Amino acid sequence: MFERFTTEARQLVVLAQQEARELKHPSIGTEHLLLALLDSGSGGAHVILREAGLTRERVVADINRLVRPESVPLGDGDAAALEAIGIDLDAVREKVEEIFGPGALRPPQPEQRQGWLRRKVVGDHRPFSFRAKKVLELSLREAVVLKHRFIGPEHILLGLLREGSGLAAKILSEEGLDFTVLRRQAVAALDKAA
């Protein structure tokens, strides 16, 4: 499938990997694909999302709000109990991250192993989540339906919209974006480029 990716789509996948790494997430999710689509190198998809009012900063804020570190043992109930005795849990988290850096409260990630012989993952590679793989598969299907011999960033946007259940779809929905309108714009951008 990747042989059909345009240079821009390949760069988008690389950027998604970088976004996952920067956010210290163990895998590439739909949210990282969405962040990569907001990069100016993503052509028409970038323009569509920016014109819809989406910015990288807003998406990162939404991701941070929606993805709570699994390792932080204190939840909302704990925050309320601590607040009752005068301790603001969010302020404590912010101060710790200000001093020690983002993700300071997360324990070290266990060593990742993969493959038949359980070989160690080399470097800083992040695997694709199930939903991100589905988005890429759906981008291929969108290209086939549109009778395109290539997969560009707009096809990946179409795949992301069609998948509709991942964190990226949740963010787009919460931001009030209409999937039908975005889809129509992405198809129009592809028709214009062809």
Side-chain angles (χ1 to χ4, degrees):
M1 168 172 55
F2 286 111
E3 64 274 1
R4 295 179 80 168
F5 275 46
T6 62
T7 303
E8 294 83 10
R10 289 174 194 231
Q11 182 61 30
L12 187 145
V13 171
V14 170
L15 284 172
Q17 169 106 251
Q18 289 174 352
E19 294 290 355
R21 197 176 301 122
E22 284 178 23
L23 292 172
K24 296 185 179 7
H25 293 173
S27 62
I28 302 168
T30 60
E31 66 275 19
H32 306 111
L33 291 172
L34 178 59
L35 283 171
L37 283 166
L38 287 166
D39 183 78
S40 60
S42 295
H46 163 77
V47 172
I48 292 165
L49 293 171
R50 294 295 285 204
E51 286 179 354
L54 209 58
T55 64
R56 182 183 190 290
E57 294 74 25
R58 283 175 65 183
V59 171
V60 169
D62 287 340
I63 291 169
N64 288 332
R65 178 178 53 82
L66 295 168
V67 177
R68 294 192 64 114
E70 297 170 15
S71 60
V72 177
L74 300 175
D76 293 334
D78 298 313
L82 289 170
E83 191 172 331
I85 59 171
I87 298 173
D88 181 359
L89 185 57
D90 289 329
V92 171
R93 283 184 184 138
E94 285 178 24
K95 191 65 175 173
V96 168
E97 289 194 352
E98 179 184 312
I99 295 169
F100 298 104
L105 293 173
R106 294 185 200 133
Q109 293 292 323
E111 189 175 283
Q112 291 183 349
R113 297 190 173 273
Q114 70 179 20
W116 185 57
L117 296 175
R118 298 292 191 198
R119 289 173 289 211
K120 182 178 175 184
V121 175
V122 179
D124 213 9
H125 173 74
R126 301 286 196 271
F128 285 98
S129 70
F130 170 78
R131 290 193 188 282
K133 286 179 188 176
K134 187 71 174 171
V135 166
L136 297 177
E137 177 188 316
L138 291 171
S139 68
L140 171 63
R141 290 185 187 179
E142 291 288 345
V144 169
V145 166
L146 294 170
K147 297 184 170 108
H148 295 157
R149 294 180 178 261
F150 63 94
I151 299 170
E154 295 84 0
H155 295 102
I156 295 173
L157 175 58
L158 290 170
L160 194 115
L161 295 170
R162 190 167 164 191
E163 188 273 335
S165 299
L167 186 55
K170 181 176 177 83
I171 290 168
L172 292 172
S173 180
E174 285 186 2
E175 290 290 339
L177 302 181
D178 184 334
F179 285 30
T180 306
V181 171
L182 292 174
R183 179 174 176 70
R184 196 175 320 125
Q185 291 172 335
V187 171
L190 285 163
D191 288 343
K192 186 177 178 181

